Amino acid sequence: IERAEQARKLYHVIGFPSMKDFMTLVQMNMIKDCPITVEDIKICEKIFGPDIYALKGKTTRRQPRAIVNDYVEIPRELIEAQQGIKLYADVMWVEQLPFFTTISEQLRFITVQYLPNQRADTLFEACESAFAKYNQAGFYIKEFYADPEFACIEEDIANIPITCNITPAQAHLPVIDRAIRTIKERYRAMFHRTPFSMWPKIMVIHGVYNAVKWLNTFPPKGGLTTAYSPRT
């Protein structure tokens, strides 16, 4: 062990050559009066393994994987056929936290956004964020449906301009209600999968986001409006 330690110390002194070069210069007696032998170097490698300082200094960054764009281009005709989106919106409550939730009638695409409060400006900002997602994909919103809670921003939405339809009191929107029920079911299943009796706020928010992400990725067979149940 002592001779192995001396071999490792000598390796550091002479500037961290490769193991092959290190053995060669010892074997050819290139270091005068060197007490280290090739066998000492081999034992050193078996005891201590590769030198950590040499690994840190010599290891280069691996070539990153090339970014390959495998998106499928949607035919222009299909996009044009889906224009004039009807968007349904509501505030979903999960673990006493409000989420602005929308679903489009034609595309069945769901958006969800955590609301720090329910002021008019916050609701309108969440609406604009949802509209922007459709606009970026080349779609435009034609009609907006929501319950009386959104009456405070009805004029702002109409000025975009989007036809805003506020439902009467006690009325429901089955499309968004069914979507919210499905989101909550997926969230609860995810919650019970973890070994915790409760989640902190940040986990609840991202748990809802994750449930919606996979609903959009793999929509339920028959869509989210095949059945209707009262608001939960």
Side-chain angles (χ1 to χ4, degrees), residues 28-178:
M28 297 182 65
N29 199 26
M30 297 176 67
I31 303 176
K32 188 177 180 180
D33 299 328
C34 179
I36 303 302
T37 65
V38 173
E39 188 65 23
D40 295 334
I41 298 174
K42 292 180 179 179
I43 293 174
C44 175
E45 283 290 290
K46 291 181 179 179
I47 294 176
F48 302 116
D51 186 72
I52 188 66
Y53 306 113
L55 289 175
K56 288 184 176 181
K58 297 179 181 181
T59 302
T60 58
R61 184 174 67 95
R62 292 183 178 180
Q63 183 71 22
R65 292 186 301 172
I67 299 176
V68 179
N69 185 353
D70 59 350
Y71 292 129
V72 177
E73 184 176 357
I74 301 175
R76 192 70 228 171
E77 295 80 6
L78 183 59
I79 295 179
E80 292 176 354
Q82 303 297 329
Q83 291 297 349
I85 299 294
K86 291 183 180 179
L87 195 66
Y88 297 84
D90 199 358
V91 175
M92 171 180 65
W93 291 85
V94 178
E95 305 289 357
Q96 300 181 350
L97 297 178
F99 294 85
F100 174 73
T101 310
T102 71
I103 183 171
S104 52
E105 185 178 57
Q106 295 94 323
L107 303 178
R108 298 294 192 268
F109 179 74
I110 304 173
T111 69
V112 65
Q113 182 176 339
Y114 168 68
L115 297 173
N117 56 68
Q118 292 178 268
R119 298 198 305 262
D121 57 340
T122 303
L123 289 175
F124 184 65
E125 183 179 346
C127 288
E128 286 187 315
S129 177
F131 298 159
K133 291 182 179 179
Y134 285 93
N135 294 337
Q136 291 171 0
F139 298 96
Y140 72 89
I141 310 297
K142 182 180 180 181
E143 299 178 39
F144 179 81
Y145 295 85
D147 59 21
E149 183 178 2
F150 291 83
C152 57
I153 60 172
E154 182 175 4
E155 293 184 3
D156 296 325
I157 294 177
N159 291 332
I160 289 180
I162 294 175
T163 302
C164 186
N165 299 282
I166 302 299
T167 61
Q170 307 303 322
H172 295 290
L173 296 171
V175 176
I176 188 65
D177 285 344
R178 186 64 179 88

